[in-house]
Amino acid sequence: MAQLDETHDPELRSWVASANRPECDFPIQNLPLGVFRKPRDPRPRLGVAIGDFILDLRPWLEGQNLNGYFRLPSARRRELRREWSACLRESAPHRDLTPRAECEMLLPAAIGDYTDFYASLPHAMNVGRLFRPDNPLPANYKHVPIAYHGRASSIVVSGTPIGRPSGQLGQGRFGASQELDYEVEVGAFVGPGNTMGQPIAMKEAEEHLAGVCLLNDWSARDIQRWEGQPLGPFLSKNFATSISPWVITAEALEPFRVAEQPHEEVILPYLRSVEPGAFDITLEVWLRGVRVSRAFFREMYWTLAQMITHHTSNGCPLRAGDLIGSGTVSGPEPENRGCLLELTAGGEQRCFLKDGDEVILRGYCVREGFRRIGFGECTGIVQHHP
């Protein structure tokens, strides 16, 4: 069951006026964490977003990234959330805050490893029809969470320009990708992690889910088409991955917990959960000033907890600050498709990213009886490499 407490009360108001606006992404019921830098001060600082401002966390947390916070037991993370909520409530004494607009946002964690899953059934079907028309869905898809190992060194924070990659485009051809694409995903930061050889069981998996962010898995489709067989993505994926700077804590997501999608095949016992394991997150993609996609994270075939459990089922160690990508979040209709490649699956004209295009990802959670919380934005502008 969802672990709700006074911090989720929709009637709570903050002494920070901007946090009380109905459309605000960062009300007092959210309290996401990030790493920021003040003007003319090179030191990275840990902060909580509240409305249009940032609360410096030095009285509570030390360090230049959130890895130390991620290592904490979930009970301690909940305790800290209650303390931050108390000091930002309407009746609490005012503290010094820094305007978010004046700050530079940094990567929230030192990311040691990055694994990207493939957990949307509509996305897998749409892409499969393009690459394998006679067998769009692999036989194992509904039995095992599919993933590939990404590249942590090319993960960048929102706002970082994205260079158009070059690579092999076919036999005897090398050059700049002409089929650059985005993929809208949810990124999950690992909490304490496990010792090598000690799997994380489903009943313990969410203790290791510290928080989530928006993630754009930039993809060069022409490179991917040529190199993808037999081992899957490589240079078509590892040149850049953008993430949003604010980490929405697992505790903030509790009111938006819902039942996962039903499975058509009986899954193995180690992947079964007795509690609702999905989260009701709405994800949007904006391109050239137009919303081109709106999809729903609750419809993913595999949950974040199942991804964590499966990832460690062979004894693989996860460490605090490791990043897990959910895979492209898509749905059954054209307006739900989470990347440009999928639009071709329905017969539409193929159209990929142009130099100068800015891709904006947005996310938010809405549920009757609770306050809306947002994820902020994850942005990137495509640039041509000389």
Side-chain angles (χ1 to χ4, degrees):
M1 299 295 294
Q3 297 190 47
L4 303 181
D5 58 28
E6 70 277 9
T7 67
H8 302 105
D9 183 350
E11 300 302 320
L12 280 182
R13 292 176 62 84
S14 173
W15 52 264
V16 181
S18 59
N20 299 323
R21 299 193 306 257
E23 73 279 7
C24 177
D25 273 350
F26 305 137
I28 193 170
Q29 291 83 358
N30 193 347
L31 304 181
L33 306 181
V35 180
F36 70 104
R37 185 179 286 145
K38 290 184 175 183
R40 298 174 296 280
D41 187 344
R43 294 174 297 172
R45 299 168 181 263
L46 310 185
V48 159
I50 179 71
D52 294 334
F53 295 87
I54 302 176
L55 171 68
D56 195 316
L57 292 182
R58 279 181 297 174
W60 293 276
L61 296 171
E62 297 291 340
Q64 298 188 346
N65 54 54
L66 292 172
N67 292 59
Y69 169 82
F70 295 152
R71 292 188 190 98
L72 297 174
S74 59
R76 176 55 180 157
R77 297 199 304 266
R78 286 192 294 271
E79 182 179 309
L80 285 171
R81 174 180 166 83
R82 287 192 291 269
E83 292 179 18
W84 298 329
S85 176
C87 77
L88 290 167
R89 291 178 194 179
E90 200 167 34
S91 59
H94 292 200
R95 294 170 174 260
D96 289 335
L97 301 176
T98 304
R100 284 197 290 119
E102 297 179 3
C103 296
E104 175 190 3
M105 297 306 298
L106 308 176
L107 280 174
I111 301 169
D113 272 303
Y114 163 46
T115 302
D116 200 15
F117 279 81
Y118 193 54
S120 167
L121 180 58
H123 175 67
M125 289 293 295
N126 289 334
V127 173
R129 291 188 186 103
L130 293 172
F131 288 94
R132 299 176 304 275
D134 297 330
N135 183 31
L137 195 69
N140 62 357
Y141 187 86
K142 295 181 179 180
H143 299 271
V144 57
I146 303 297
Y148 72 92
H149 193 74
R151 184 70 183 177
S153 64
S154 55
I155 297 173
V156 297
V157 72
S158 171
T160 303
I162 303 302
R164 183 178 296 276
S166 292
Q168 287 199 27
L169 308 175
Q171 186 172 352
R173 297 172 53 217
F174 183 92
S177 171
Q178 300 304 305
E179 299 182 8
L180 185 60
D181 202 354
Y182 60 79
E183 290 188 350
V184 58
E185 304 189 19
V186 169
F189 283 101
V190 173
N194 59 308
T195 302
M196 187 170 181
Q198 299 295 320
I200 296 174
M202 277 296 297
K203 64 181 180 181
E204 303 164 350
E206 292 194 3
E207 297 293 309
H208 300 270
L209 174 61
V212 301
C213 65
L214 301 172
L215 186 151
N216 187 342
D217 177 27
W218 301 93
S219 302
R221 301 304 188 183
D222 37 9
I223 299 174
Q224 182 180 2
R225 188 180 305 110
W226 175 240
E227 74 172 8
Q229 302 298 327
L231 294 182
F234 181 37
L235 300 183
S236 57
K237 294 276 192 175
N238 70 2
F239 60 95
T241 302
S242 299
I243 63 172
S244 54
W246 293 105
V247 179
I248 311 304
T249 65
E251 293 72 35
L253 291 175
E254 284 297 321
F256 309 99
R257 185 184 291 276
V258 293
E260 57 266 33
Q261 289 293 295
H263 281 232
E264 300 169 8
E265 304 287 345
V266 177
I267 61 173
L268 293 173
Y270 80 99
L271 288 173
R272 296 176 195 164
S273 175
V274 296
E275 298 181 357
F279 294 100
D280 193 1
I281 304 169
T282 300
L283 298 164
E284 297 181 351
V285 182
W286 291 73
L287 176 63
R288 302 166 197 155
V290 176
R291 190 183 72 193
V292 295
S293 173
R294 182 170 65 178
F296 306 100
F297 192 60
R298 65 174 182 266
E299 297 177 353
M300 299 296 272
Y301 198 78
W302 301 102
T303 68
L304 294 175
Q306 287 171 323
M307 295 176 202
I308 290 172
T309 290
H310 182 65
H311 202 314
T312 65
S313 62
N314 66 345
C316 172
L318 293 178
R319 295 171 293 187
D322 283 357
L323 183 65
I324 288 175
S326 66
T328 305
V329 183
S330 290
E333 303 301 327
E335 60 266 26
N336 307 137
R337 293 174 181 170
C339 64
L340 294 174
L341 177 68
E342 287 186 76
L343 294 176
T344 67
E348 293 85 350
Q349 182 178 2
R350 185 174 305 213
C351 180
F352 291 97
L353 296 174
K354 303 174 182 178
D355 292 347
D357 277 347
E358 181 179 30
V359 179
I360 303 173
L361 310 185
R362 296 185 176 122
Y364 53 90
C365 298
V366 178
R367 182 179 178 185
E368 186 176 356
F370 292 95
R371 179 68 191 270
R372 173 195 182 277
I373 67 170
F375 285 51
E377 293 184 344
C378 179
T379 70
I381 297 179
V382 177
Q383 294 184 346
H384 188 80
H385 273 168

